[in-house]
Amino acid sequence: MKAVLLNGSPHTAGCTYTALNEAARGLSENGIEAEIINIGDKDIYGCKGCFACRKTGHCIRDDIVDQTAEKIIEADGMIIGSPVYFSSPNATLIAYLDRLYAAYGDKLRFKPCGCIVSARRAGTTSSLEVLNKYQFIEQMTNRTFAY
């Protein structure tokens, strides 16, 4: 079994990574291969609603979304990690997820998925709500954690 963990933080070795690394350790201890993919430090454009992905099966922008989609599709599960800066998930992560779910959401249906958010102050509940909605749209099994 394999799980993909998405690090939405621009700090590739920061608090969100630390939380995801702990999750990866727990998965590994239970025989599940875990791969952390850093996306928060990439330049990712938001979805422009062109719906070309519905015709082509992939996003027209050739960047990390298309480059990592197959790993996520092939994985048995996924964990999404985001820092909370201003009471919401990182904007780069949102751009990534908007495009991932628009282009590949049907291939993620029923896949187990969890969320981890890392915050110093408030905003964990609203951030988890935003991240969970992606999974609920595709009827994914969900577990959430605030760190």
Side-chain angles (χ1 to χ4, degrees):
M1 292 187 71
K2 182 174 182 174
V4 171
L5 292 75
L6 297 175
N7 181 7
S9 175
H11 306 286
T12 57
C15 295
T16 303
Y17 172 81
T18 301
L20 288 170
N21 200 42
E22 284 299 307
R25 186 175 56 80
L27 290 168
S28 295
E29 288 173 358
N30 287 283
I32 301 170
E33 181 185 346
E35 178 183 1
I36 297 175
I37 300 174
N38 293 308
I39 60 166
D41 61 341
K42 307 292 188 271
D43 291 328
I44 302 173
Y45 292 100
C47 179
K48 61 182 190 172
C50 67
F51 299 110
C53 58
R54 304 254 169 100
K55 296 175 187 167
T56 64
H58 60 87
C59 185
I60 61 167
R61 299 182 190 269
D62 186 21
D63 64 5
I64 191 159
V65 176
D66 284 329
Q67 296 162 11
T68 58
E70 199 59 39
K71 285 183 179 186
I72 295 168
I73 292 165
E74 291 175 0
D76 298 297
M78 172 169 73
I79 297 176
I80 302 167
S82 180
V84 179
Y85 298 134
F86 299 101
S87 296
S88 65
N90 183 355
T92 303
L93 176 63
I94 294 299
Y96 178 93
L97 293 174
D98 281 353
R99 291 184 37 227
L100 177 73
Y101 278 84
Y104 304 100
D106 59 327
K107 295 178 177 125
L108 303 177
R109 191 161 291 141
F110 307 120
K111 187 179 294 287
C113 185
C115 297
I116 296 174
V117 295
S118 176
R120 183 173 169 200
R121 295 180 204 87
T124 55
T125 303
S126 57
S127 295
L128 287 171
E129 181 180 359
V130 170
L131 295 176
N132 286 336
K133 288 183 180 178
Y134 290 97
Q135 299 152 51
F136 294 152
I137 289 169
E138 293 303 335
Q139 303 165 4
M140 298 170 81
T141 306
N142 177 266
R143 298 290 181 265
T144 59
F145 304 94
Y147 170 72

